[in-house]
Amino acid sequence: VERTNREIEQAREALEGKARQLVLTSKYKSEFLANMSHELRTPLNSLLILSQMLAENGGSNLTEKQVQYAQTIHSSGNDLLELINDILDLSKIESGAVEVDSTGVLFSELAQFVESTFRHLAENKHLDFHVRLDPQLPPVMITDLRRLEQVLKNLLSNAFKFTERGSVELKLKPATGGWDAGCAVLNEAASVIAFAVTDTGIGIAEDKQQIIFEAFQQAEAGTARKYGGTGLGLSISREIARLLGGSLQVESIPGQGSSFTLYLPASLPTEQTQAILRQRQEGVVAPEPRPVIAGPEDAPVPGPLEAEVDAVADDLANLQPGDLVLLIIEDDRNFARVLMEFAREKKFKVVVARNAARGIALAGQLKPAAITLDLHLPDNDGWLVLDRLKHDSNTRHIPIHIISVEDERERGLKLGAVSFLQKPVTKETLLTALSQIIEFINRPIKNLLIVEDDAVQRQSLVELVGNGDVHTTAVGTGAEALAVLQTTHFDCLVLDLGLPDVNGVELIREIHKQLGRHSPPVIVYTGKELSRQEETELRKISDSIIIKNIRSPERLLDETALFLHRVQTKLPEARRRMIEQVQRSDSVLSGRKVLVVDDDVRNIFAITSALEGYQMQVFYAESGQAGIELLQKHPDMEAVLMDVMMPEMDGYEAIRRIRQLPQFKKLPIISVTAKAMKGDREKCLQAGASDYITKPVDMDQLRSLLRVWLYK
């Protein structure tokens, strides 16, 4: 017995030793990949930013050929970034560290995504390309949209790559068989969807049809191979298929073509998702959590699996074309349920997002009729959501109604929200707000009031706004404006200060006094040079101030489009170009002082060049200590971009030291990192950062962050 106990004890110790070794190996692997990610993404950051700036040709001084060169450089940089992400993806999937973010997928939207992504390639290669949707398909499936798109892009890219003549086709249809017989999730699923990618390319020999799913393996090997590539795409696609409870199969005849079919359950319940993840981790005993690598595309949000367990049973899976959809972006589950029930009484179909990243994604995907937005979200500030949606031409027109505990109604309305409710709210208040939303939606033609004493200017402004989706009323005096406001609801008011019968400032105050919370957004459009005191006073009572100059018509068109919630893509081409031109500049960022702290001079040059393009005053430092010293010399600095990984004093320590200086307690500091380890965002915020962004820096996201933090 003693000998048996001793053997058991030795076996237990050996097992524990192996478990510790597995944990240690996993830790080293994660740290290696995170550091590799940093070293590769850092030079990529400057390459992508600068090539994008060249391709935009902001100075209109490049030839068409030079713009094409810049676009090619930017495209190649993105290809390299995708390769880095593929390697990280494969590592995460193999270690069971990938989280599934289930969402509703509209097949019509998916078809549009595939069409827009590959149509140009098909035309260039003179190949027939078709995306076919079986009429028996349900309108929606529940899966991880980003992962599904990733697999389809891999399969279609391969199909085009290995097809020189003939056709490529993607067909989506319900399936009753054809997948791997051992796939338990598909066997038990109530409904299965097949995504079949078929080509007339070179085909794959039967003895090679399994090798192609191994990492860095291809059917065509050797140094003289005709087709390049890493072979990672199919390996990742197979692993993602398994992760989503599905299967990836191939049928091929050399010289005739291939057909890759992805089978996925039409709905992936949380319990099945968890079971799949447990299967991926089977056999690994870990006494402590393993480090997890988060790629730049992974939003730093709470684990989607936990969120799904606590999810609100909305209408995402039951959407039909023509439905009146309300998107609720709200982290409070109980309040979201209450709001959802009230909205359903008003005949809305309701979709709920519990965090900012999901809210932005669903807004772009679903194009809802309206959005309600909470400002306190777990992964990001609601102001960032508002800014991103209002600076995206595809979502800018969607009316957004803020419901929050914060009392910042004026700020919300100035940034483009149509209403603001402060919590707690009563049932009557919510029902009234929903009725107003319906009234707004059902009124496709919006009303604009122009108050301008000069008849020529008045007519030119009417012609500038133009188009059938806006009815413009133009008057020449303050008295006429007050009279028409008593009888007609206006969605926006453009006002010149120099009126013959009343001071413009007094007129705005009188409008607010008479109409109260029902006052329309006011855009001051004046040729008068304002003193600092006048400007400060006007900013308190108006929503936008535009000084008449050579570029002011474009700004006025842009501002009225925002407050009238016009669909930018439906405007006449000339007006659309005017708005796009003014959006390249940024009145919130222009003239603001920002400090860039980074030890890599390439990144400093790239980010500085981009920010200077927004007319910002940019200072830079190549170390944390130098950054602190520069701040002390320029105490009027308005924001800091702080790299995290720097020698001697890293970004965390630099932020902590800045926060110890009283004058910089509230200075906006945005951490910038290429390491992208999970938990980095929380670590940055704990050190005192205001926000966080990963490299390669998405300049649209950075602009949005800066606008939110520099808002006054």
Side-chain angles (χ1 to χ4, degrees):
V1 174
E2 185 178 342
R3 180 180 176 183
T4 301
N5 289 339
R6 194 163 53 247
E7 289 175 350
I8 292 173
E9 180 64 22
Q10 289 172 348
R12 187 183 66 80
E13 290 176 357
L15 186 60
E16 289 179 352
K18 288 181 180 179
R20 284 193 294 271
Q21 187 62 42
L22 280 171
V23 172
L24 196 60
T25 301
S26 176
K27 178 183 178 182
Y28 289 154
K29 181 179 179 181
S30 292
E31 289 180 349
F32 166 75
L33 288 171
N35 287 324
M36 181 199 72
S37 164
H38 174 268
E39 295 304 323
L40 292 174
R41 284 187 177 129
T42 294
L44 260 182
N45 186 57
S46 52
L47 184 151
L48 289 172
I49 292 174
L50 293 175
S51 60
Q52 182 180 0
M53 290 175 63
L54 286 173
E56 289 172 354
N57 196 15
S60 301
N61 54 358
L62 297 181
T63 66
E64 185 177 344
K65 206 73 174 174
Q66 289 170 327
V67 170
Q68 289 177 0
Y69 294 157
Q71 290 170 339
T72 301
I73 294 170
H74 190 262
S75 175
S76 299
N78 274 320
D79 290 343
L80 184 54
L81 179 60
E82 285 187 19
L83 175 59
I84 296 168
N85 292 337
D86 281 348
I87 294 170
L88 293 171
D89 252 355
L90 195 58
S91 172
K92 287 190 287 183
I93 293 170
E94 287 175 347
S95 66
V98 170
E99 297 169 334
V100 176
D101 186 10
S102 297
T103 187
V105 177
L106 296 172
F107 292 110
S108 57
E109 295 274 353
L110 190 63
Q112 289 175 8
F113 162 77
V114 171
E115 273 280 351
S116 62
T117 305
F118 290 98
R119 176 57 60 190
H120 186 61
L121 177 59
E123 291 172 353
N124 284 346
K125 295 196 72 172
H126 305 291
L127 297 173
D128 290 331
F129 176 46
H130 303 285
V131 180
R132 306 189 191 279
L133 302 182
D134 191 288
Q136 300 302 314
L137 282 170
V140 179
M141 73 178 292
I142 306 298
T143 191
D144 188 320
L145 175 62
R146 187 173 64 81
R147 295 295 179 184
L148 172 57
E149 289 179 345
Q150 184 178 357
V151 174
L152 293 180
K153 282 175 68 176
N154 283 338
L155 297 180
L156 285 164
S157 294
N158 278 348
F160 281 106
K161 177 179 177 182
F162 295 106
T163 303
E164 295 185 349
R165 61 181 63 88
S167 65
V168 173
E169 178 186 80
L170 168 64
K171 186 169 185 178
L172 284 64
K173 60 184 179 180
T176 56
W179 56 82
D180 184 351
C183 185
V185 176
L186 290 177
N187 293 337
E188 298 171 9
S191 176
V192 174
I193 308 298
F195 302 80
V197 175
T198 305
D199 64 61
T200 58
I202 61 174
I204 306 164
E206 188 173 354
D207 61 336
K208 303 284 189 180
Q209 289 179 16
Q210 292 308 312
I211 292 177
I212 58 174
F213 289 105
E214 301 300 323
F216 300 106
Q217 297 293 323
Q218 287 192 327
E220 182 195 35
T223 56
R225 64 184 182 177
K226 180 179 179 181
Y227 303 97
T230 63
L232 282 173
L234 286 177
S235 181
I236 290 171
S237 297
R238 182 185 62 177
E239 294 300 320
I240 290 175
R242 291 173 177 171
L243 183 72
L244 299 181
S247 173
L248 182 58
Q249 304 295 319
V250 61
E251 295 178 1
S252 184
I253 300 175
Q256 295 186 26
S258 305
S259 181
F260 286 83
T261 305
L262 170 68
Y263 297 94
L264 292 180
S267 181
L268 185 60
T270 303
E271 294 78 11
Q272 291 179 344
T273 307
Q274 291 172 325
I276 293 166
L277 291 176
R278 284 196 294 271
Q279 290 169 12
R280 302 301 302 150
Q281 295 170 320
E282 190 175 355
V284 178
V285 182
E288 60 182 84
R290 292 176 298 168
V292 179
I293 300 169
E297 76 287 351
D298 293 320
V301 299
L305 290 182
E306 290 76 13
E308 288 298 316
V309 172
D310 212 24
V312 176
D314 61 14
D315 301 314
L316 185 57
N318 306 312
L319 297 181
Q320 302 289 338
D323 281 342
L324 190 65
V325 179
L326 175 68
L327 173 60
I328 297 173
I329 306 177
E330 169 65 64
D331 71 321
D332 185 324
R333 181 184 58 173
N334 293 328
F335 184 72
R337 282 177 173 166
V338 169
L339 190 52
M340 179 175 66
E341 293 307 317
F342 289 163
R344 283 173 173 167
E345 289 180 18
K346 297 291 185 180
K347 309 305 180 185
F348 279 102
K349 286 285 187 73
V350 181
V351 178
V352 177
R354 302 273 308 282
N355 59 60
R358 186 172 171 83
I360 293 171
L362 284 172
Q365 178 189 351
L366 300 177
K367 310 291 191 305
I371 296 172
T372 67
L373 173 64
D374 183 21
L375 296 178
H376 290 284
L377 299 168
D379 59 325
N380 236 316
D381 198 287
W383 294 117
L384 179 69
V385 177
L386 180 63
D387 187 88
R388 290 296 295 272
L389 296 180
K390 288 302 174 184
H391 284 83
D392 183 338
S393 60
N394 293 310
T395 56
R396 195 171 191 237
H397 63 282
I398 300 173
I400 297 177
H401 306 259
I402 298 175
I403 306 177
S404 180
V405 295
E406 293 185 22
D407 184 15
E408 294 204 55
R409 181 176 183 274
E410 288 185 10
R411 179 181 180 186
L413 299 183
K414 285 182 179 182
L415 294 178
V418 295
S419 70
F420 192 108
L421 292 179
Q422 187 179 5
K423 296 178 182 176
V425 291
T426 64
K427 175 182 178 181
E428 291 73 21
T429 305
L430 282 178
L431 290 175
T432 300
L434 290 168
S435 296
Q436 290 172 348
I437 291 174
I438 293 174
E439 187 274 333
F440 187 91
I441 294 167
N442 291 337
R443 190 164 46 82
I445 296 179
K446 303 300 186 289
N447 291 323
L448 172 67
L449 175 60
I450 294 175
V451 187
E452 165 66 61
D453 65 321
D454 186 290
V456 175
Q457 283 263 21
R458 213 164 45 233
Q459 185 57 35
S460 67
L461 292 180
V462 172
E463 292 174 359
L464 173 70
V465 176
N467 214 27
D469 64 334
V470 176
H471 179 267
T472 304
T473 301
V475 298
T477 66
E480 289 177 291
L482 290 172
V484 76
L485 281 165
Q486 293 299 320
T487 59
T488 308
H489 170 83
F490 287 96
D491 300 285
C492 184
L493 166 63
V494 176
L495 171 71
D496 183 20
L497 294 179
L499 300 174
D501 60 335
V502 65
N503 178 279
V505 174
E506 294 304 319
L507 177 59
I508 297 173
R509 288 205 176 100
E510 184 61 28
I511 291 171
H512 288 323
K513 180 181 177 181
Q514 292 189 16
L515 301 182
R517 298 176 72 88
H518 300 292
S519 300
V522 176
I523 300 173
V524 172
Y525 189 60
T526 182
K528 179 184 178 183
E529 285 297 326
L530 301 174
S531 67
R532 183 179 295 273
Q533 182 178 349
E534 288 174 321
E535 184 176 347
T536 301
E537 187 177 6
L538 275 172
R539 290 200 180 280
K540 293 177 181 177
I541 59 175
S542 68
D543 297 274
S544 179
I545 303 171
I546 301 174
I547 306 298
K548 295 176 183 177
N549 56 39
I550 192 170
R551 305 301 302 180
S552 60
E554 287 90 339
R555 273 206 64 200
L556 181 62
L557 184 61
D558 180 53
E559 291 288 327
T560 55
L562 174 67
F563 291 118
L564 294 171
H565 304 277
R566 304 180 78 179
V567 182
Q568 187 170 319
T569 53
K570 293 183 179 180
L571 291 175
E573 185 179 351
R575 291 186 177 88
R576 204 165 59 240
R577 281 202 305 267
M578 289 174 70
I579 291 177
E580 289 168 356
Q581 181 68 33
V582 77
Q583 286 174 352
R584 291 195 183 102
S585 61
D586 201 312
S587 58
V588 175
L589 302 184
S590 180
R592 312 300 284 274
K593 299 177 74 170
V594 61
L595 170 63
V596 178
V597 184
D598 196 311
D599 64 318
D600 191 302
V601 69
R602 295 167 298 183
N603 278 334
I604 288 176
F605 176 70
I607 293 179
T608 296
S609 300
L611 296 179
E612 286 177 343
Y614 311 142
Q615 286 78 52
M616 298 190 78
Q617 297 182 50
V618 187
F619 299 76
Y620 65 87
E622 296 181 39
S623 70
Q625 184 59 46
I628 294 171
E629 293 171 0
L630 197 56
L631 272 178
Q632 291 174 318
K633 290 180 182 177
H634 299 274
D636 59 340
M637 201 72 70
E638 297 176 272
V640 176
L641 301 181
M642 179 70 72
D643 187 29
V644 168
M645 292 187 68
M646 294 186 292
E648 297 179 12
M649 182 191 297
D650 64 19
Y652 302 123
E653 180 61 24
I655 293 171
R656 280 191 286 266
R657 294 196 185 185
I658 291 171
R659 291 302 187 209
Q660 289 171 2
L661 302 171
Q663 66 269 40
F664 301 125
K665 289 284 186 184
K666 296 183 178 180
L667 177 69
I669 303 176
I670 299 173
S671 290
V672 185
T673 179
K675 194 174 182 181
M677 288 286 285
K678 189 172 184 179
D680 272 2
R681 181 175 187 271
E682 290 72 20
K683 193 173 178 182
C684 290
L685 297 181
Q686 288 170 3
S690 309
D691 226 314
Y692 166 99
I693 193 171
T694 57
K695 294 178 183 176
V697 173
D698 179 333
M699 289 310 298
D700 289 335
Q701 183 183 359
L702 180 58
R703 283 178 73 180
S704 211
L705 284 174
L706 287 169
R707 277 194 298 262
V708 168
W709 287 105
L710 292 175
Y711 173 83
K712 285 187 178 179

